[in-house]
Amino acid sequence: AQSVTQLDSHVSVSEGTPVLLRCNYSSSYSPSLFWYVQHPNKGLQLLLKYTSAATLVKGINGFEAEFKKSETSFHLTKPSAHMSDAAEYFCVVSRGGTSYGKLTFGQGTILTVHP
Amino acid sequence: GAVVSQHPSWVICKSGTSVKIECRSLDFQATTMFWYRQFPKQSLMLMATSNEGSKATYEQGVEKDKFLINHASLTLSTLTVTSAHPEDSSFYICSARDEEMWDTDTQYFGPGTRLTVL
């Protein structure tokens, strides 16, 4: 079975400082991993996706994530936070086998950016 | 590309009535769509997988007779909440896969429908 654990329910940073949102996964096979962002009253937007092509994945809006198999982690980072980054972020794993393509979501991390 | 719409964006209904929510893929065809429910301050939970031309498959614990899904075309899936009750109040989100793309496990999400049952 696949599962995702987001280690922080809330992260607060100052504008211009680095962002780190932590995610650990459990999977019995080589997974696809995603980060999605959800702004208030808006739909989920795909930030980036890992598919085993490269361990460091660059996404939109300056975000990137590194897949570390030895640590079963897929943390999301951004060098410098912007006020518009304030939102909820979800780490997601794609299921395999007979449930191929179904997604399992982490609990979400709310990012607050202070001026 | 890969835009998914939902209608309505919000709906308020009386207890005991039924509500239909539409999910459309606007610029691609989707033989598979997914329906999720998100309670306040919680994550998304997959309810069911909608398959064009066949019956939907439901996740464990989801009542198929209460949440009717119809996927009648390659661009439209509907979710009908039958005999809605206050505990059905939630944010319902659909997604679709663009199966013309090589990465068929990437899902594109609609903006969601907020259902409030009085």
Side-chain angles (χ1 to χ4, degrees):
Chain A
Q2 290 74 46
S3 67
V4 174
T5 302
Q6 291 182 244
L7 301 173
D8 307 292
S9 58
H10 290 82
V11 170
S12 181
V13 300
S14 297
E15 189 175 23
T17 63
V19 175
L20 170 63
L21 305 182
R22 299 182 296 165
C23 172
N24 286 113
Y25 71 91
S26 172
S27 178
S28 54
Y29 66 103
S30 183
S32 290
L33 291 161
F34 309 78
W35 276 98
Y36 282 89
V37 60
Q38 185 178 36
H39 286 93
N41 301 315
K42 290 191 176 181
L44 285 144
Q45 182 182 19
L46 178 66
L47 278 178
L48 50 82
K49 174 183 178 181
Y50 166 77
T51 55
S52 78
T55 56
L56 183 62
V57 184
K58 293 189 182 299
I60 62 171
N61 300 334
F63 285 94
E64 62 182 36
E66 186 171 8
F67 175 76
K68 292 186 176 180
K69 186 175 181 179
S70 60
E71 299 176 10
T72 61
S73 69
F74 190 57
H75 302 334
L76 181 71
T77 60
K78 182 173 181 177
S80 177
H82 192 273
M83 295 296 289
S84 60
D85 295 328
E88 187 161 18
Y89 293 78
F90 292 97
C91 183
V92 181
V93 64
S94 178
R95 305 183 205 175
T98 56
S99 294
Y100 176 76
K102 294 184 179 181
L103 302 182
T104 298
F105 280 73
Q107 289 302 305
T109 299
I110 296 174
L111 175 65
T112 302
V113 182
H114 297 287
Chain B
V3 177
V4 176
S5 70
Q6 280 184 245
H7 177 80
S9 55
W10 58 270
V11 57
I12 301 173
C13 69
K14 294 182 179 179
S15 186
T17 61
S18 294
V19 174
K20 179 184 284 187
I21 302 169
E22 293 185 348
C23 176
R24 293 182 186 272
S25 57
L26 297 185
D27 49 2
F28 63 99
Q29 294 183 331
T31 56
T32 306
M33 292 183 173
F34 301 88
W35 287 96
Y36 296 82
R37 180 165 54 185
Q38 185 180 28
F39 290 109
K41 301 191 185 300
Q42 294 188 26
S43 189
L44 279 76
M45 296 296 293
L46 179 65
M47 298 174 65
T49 303
S50 173
N51 305 295
E52 189 269 337
S54 64
K55 291 183 178 180
T57 55
Y58 292 80
E59 296 297 297
Q60 192 172 7
V62 177
E63 300 175 59
K64 61 180 181 181
D65 294 330
K66 180 164 188 63
F67 299 99
L68 300 179
I69 291 172
N70 184 19
H71 194 153
S73 79
L74 288 172
T75 59
L76 173 64
S77 174
T78 61
L79 169 69
T80 301
V81 183
T82 63
S83 186
H85 288 91
E87 57 266 29
D88 298 322
S89 298
S90 187
F91 196 49
Y92 292 87
I93 303 171
C94 74
S95 71
R97 291 201 303 237
D98 183 351
E99 291 168 27
E100 294 292 317
M101 300 288 286
W102 64 272
D103 56 343
T104 56
D105 61 350
T106 295
Q107 294 181 21
Y108 299 93
F109 287 81
T113 297
R114 187 162 303 283
L115 170 63
T116 301
V117 184
L118 302 177

